[in-house]
Amino acid sequence: MKKIALLYFLPFLIALTVVYYFSQNRSLNTFLFQEESMIKSDRHKPFIENFRDNSYYEGFFLKPDSVETIFILGSSELTETSVALPYNFISKNFTTPLRGVGHAGNQCFSIYTQLLANEKKLKDARIVIILSPGWFESKSSRGTTSPLFLEFNSDNFLNRILTAEPQNDFHQYAYKGVSHFYNEFSSPSLEIKLMNFHHQASKSFIHYTLYAPLICFDNYLLQQKRKLIPQYYTADEVVEHPVIASEQVHIDWDSLYQTSKEEATKKATNNSLGIADDYYTQYIHGNTGRMDPVSPAFNQELKDFNMLIDLLHKKQANASFIISPLNPLYYKNLKHLDPTVTMLEDKLKQNHFPYLNLFTTDIGQYEKPILHDVMHMSDYGWYKVNRFIADTYKLSK
Amino acid sequence: MKNNNIFRFLIHTVIYVVIAFFIYFLYNPLNKNSVTRSAISFVYQQF
């Protein structure tokens, strides 16, 4: 018996003790698990596609430098390459920097949780959100997808939502959203699990009783996780947003409009839809598109949008919106989206958020050079957006 | 005989510590490169 204790139990106990020591040793854990991207810190990058590959950027999000920074959030249109894109044009022509975050699929719920994780920074924060009417129709109207949600909402951001005080309807909405696609995660993190449990527990007293021990246990584990690598978890903090100092910058918008319009027209010669030749040849071939509107009762994206606006309003963010255009010559039943766009406008008006609506279903009013394909803006479209941003935030005198 | 036992004890201790360390490393939720990540979730799922 003594021999068994010496040869098996004692080494086992020693191994447990050593691993316990490892788990409590911060420098060892930092050495073992620190991500490369966390070491780098390029806060001046004008555009990032997501936070997953740029986690160092999380700490800078909505945090102004010495001068105020404007953040533009949106989806696929931000990944275009053009000097006219706001994060290129505004940053080049004004001292106020503008940073872009997003790529295809970064829809309302994803943006909502990113902002909720930074809610203390929202007061007076200058945020421009590009709304694509395409988000509110067909499949996209089901809301943000789970893989995309993970790209923009790290455990760090989710932890902030979980630990925010006091918890209110905004947090509950985030939990509900996560639990909506919870089954799609093959190995959910502790934070995602907790969000799901919180939502389940809120359903009834019986649910609460059943889930309370699990929540307590996971909270304890999360506490341990935070202790292991505290530098992974950056805290949300109240920040002062300096007033934008207007500059003596004169931009000849009319000339920019004229030149960019001519350029766009020159590129669209093999069709009457105003679509650039190469795109038309590759994807359109004389075909037309259709929109598949979804009623508001089943439109998850619309619900997410309303909640996003409520959050920005409640937190007094200095937000503005762009409703991007779609090509009415290509989408034959675009009129069916009119009621949805009207709802977006009404909500923005009710909450006094400035917005630029470039969406039109009227073929007579539609300016062909505004898009270079069926839904992405050309330089002409972007200059309109730039002017709106410059006027809204009074960048020039 | 006694020396032999001490030697075996030392060998066992080293092996156990190495195995424990690898399990800790592989199943650690902080290990983003590992497909076995989320050790805490793994432990939790055992309940």
Side-chain angles (χ1 to χ4, degrees):
Chain A
M1 188 63 197
K2 248 185 182 178
K3 200 174 160 186
I4 291 173
L6 176 74
L7 293 182
Y8 299 101
F9 287 121
L10 197 55
F12 181 71
L13 287 175
I14 291 171
L16 282 184
T17 314
V18 170
V19 167
Y20 179 75
Y21 168 75
F22 287 159
S23 70
Q24 301 299 313
N25 188 319
R26 271 186 201 178
S27 38
L28 181 79
N29 281 296
T30 308
F31 173 74
L32 287 175
F33 304 116
Q34 191 169 24
E35 287 177 53
E36 202 188 332
S37 57
M38 287 176 76
I39 302 165
K40 291 187 273 172
S41 58
D42 178 11
R43 68 182 302 173
H44 301 295
K45 214 171 167 182
F47 169 68
I48 59 156
E49 286 209 4
N50 59 29
F51 288 115
R52 186 192 58 196
D53 305 327
N54 304 278
S55 54
Y56 62 91
Y57 205 92
E58 286 176 357
F60 306 139
F61 186 50
L62 300 185
K63 204 173 175 181
D65 293 304
S66 51
V67 289
E68 174 58 317
T69 308
I70 300 172
F71 281 87
I72 188 162
L73 312 176
S75 54
S76 57
E77 59 282 325
L78 289 178
T79 51
E80 306 253 302
T81 46
S82 162
V83 287
L85 274 155
Y87 54 79
N88 292 327
F89 184 84
I90 300 278
S91 300
K92 190 185 162 202
N93 289 285
F94 298 92
T95 48
T96 304
L98 189 144
R99 314 257 179 255
V101 180
H103 72 84
N106 185 32
Q107 295 181 202
C108 291
F109 184 67
S110 167
I111 296 174
Y112 172 81
T113 42
Q114 289 166 53
L115 297 180
L116 186 61
N118 291 279
E119 59 177 321
K120 286 185 188 165
K121 299 192 193 97
L122 281 181
K123 190 171 187 297
D124 297 328
R126 277 86 172 178
I127 302 164
V128 183
I129 297 176
I130 303 178
L131 301 168
S132 173
W135 293 353
F136 302 89
E137 63 97 33
S138 188
K139 246 183 165 181
S140 305
S141 69
R142 293 180 200 162
T144 304
T145 61
S146 53
L148 192 120
F149 176 82
L150 291 181
E151 273 190 54
F152 287 88
N153 293 278
S154 63
D155 290 349
N156 176 26
F157 272 8
L158 300 183
N159 177 63
R160 287 188 198 172
I161 296 173
L162 280 163
T163 53
E165 288 291 339
Q167 292 277 307
N168 53 37
D169 289 349
F170 291 119
H171 302 94
Q172 285 302 328
Y173 190 80
Y175 302 156
K176 191 181 171 189
V178 169
S179 74
H180 180 67
F181 43 55
Y182 181 73
N183 290 337
E184 296 171 22
F185 298 118
S186 59
S187 174
S189 70
L190 203 53
E191 285 83 357
I192 289 176
K193 248 182 192 171
L194 261 170
M195 291 178 101
N196 178 46
F197 289 161
H198 277 301
H199 171 65
Q200 301 300 339
S202 70
K203 285 180 178 171
S204 72
F205 178 72
I206 296 170
H207 282 85
Y208 178 80
T209 316
L210 286 171
Y211 280 97
L214 306 179
I215 290 173
C216 281
F217 181 64
D218 274 10
N219 271 331
Y220 167 76
L221 294 176
L222 190 57
Q223 235 174 10
Q224 297 305 309
K225 192 176 163 184
R226 281 197 291 264
K227 268 190 205 165
L228 283 176
I229 189 159
Q231 62 272 36
Y232 177 71
Y233 293 101
T234 52
D236 185 20
E237 53 188 314
V238 178
V239 291
E240 194 79 10
H241 291 277
V243 176
I244 289 177
S246 301
E247 302 163 54
Q248 290 281 15
V249 178
H250 175 71
I251 291 174
D252 188 352
W253 295 107
D254 291 334
S255 157
L256 284 173
Y257 286 169
Q258 189 58 34
T259 325
S260 53
K261 251 177 156 177
E262 282 168 12
E263 269 177 36
T265 311
K266 267 185 216 165
K267 286 177 187 165
T269 55
N270 66 358
N271 63 88
S272 58
L273 309 180
I275 298 170
D277 292 349
D278 47 352
Y279 186 89
Y280 186 84
T281 314
Q282 204 172 347
Y283 302 104
I284 310 292
H285 299 298
N287 294 327
T288 54
R290 288 191 68 78
M291 280 291 158
D292 188 8
V294 177
S295 90
F298 301 104
N299 200 326
Q300 183 58 41
E301 189 62 19
L302 196 59
K303 290 175 192 167
D304 294 342
F305 166 77
N306 287 329
M307 211 59 191
L308 172 65
I309 301 300
D310 290 344
L311 175 71
L312 289 167
H313 180 75
K314 172 90 180 165
K315 298 292 171 185
Q316 300 172 347
N318 189 354
S320 60
F321 294 81
I322 317 286
I323 302 176
S324 65
L326 293 172
N327 190 329
L329 299 163
Y330 172 73
Y331 292 108
K332 290 296 173 194
N333 64 338
L334 205 54
K335 274 195 185 306
H336 292 172
L337 266 189
D338 259 343
T340 311
V341 176
T342 307
M343 272 184 252
L344 302 183
E345 281 192 283
D346 289 346
K347 184 75 182 174
L348 294 171
K349 276 182 202 158
Q350 277 165 22
N351 291 277
H352 310 291
F353 284 122
Y355 68 93
L356 172 68
N357 184 6
L358 296 171
F359 177 85
T360 179
T361 56
D362 186 341
I363 294 170
Q365 272 186 5
Y366 175 70
E367 294 182 279
K368 286 182 189 175
I370 204 165
L371 296 172
H372 66 77
D373 55 23
V374 294
M375 60 172 69
H376 295 113
M377 282 181 276
S378 65
D379 285 2
Y380 173 54
W382 283 120
Y383 285 131
K384 284 189 167 240
V385 171
N386 287 324
R387 187 174 193 173
F388 169 75
I389 295 173
D391 291 347
T392 304
Y393 296 107
K394 299 183 175 54
L395 300 183
S396 58
K397 282 178 183 165
Chain B
M1 187 65 188
K2 201 179 173 186
N3 276 349
N4 188 32
N5 279 346
I6 290 171
F7 179 73
R8 285 178 67 192
F9 162 73
L10 289 174
I11 291 285
H12 280 192
T13 306
V14 170
I15 292 170
Y16 282 27
V17 167
V18 169
I19 291 171
F21 177 79
F22 271 107
I23 291 173
Y24 173 72
F25 180 76
L26 284 175
Y27 285 98
N28 199 299
L30 305 172
N31 185 356
K32 302 287 180 197
N33 298 319
S34 172
V35 287
T36 55
R37 82 186 208 208
S38 192
I40 292 175
S41 310
F42 171 79
V43 170
Y44 175 73
Q45 279 154 9
Q46 310 314 305
F47 287 83

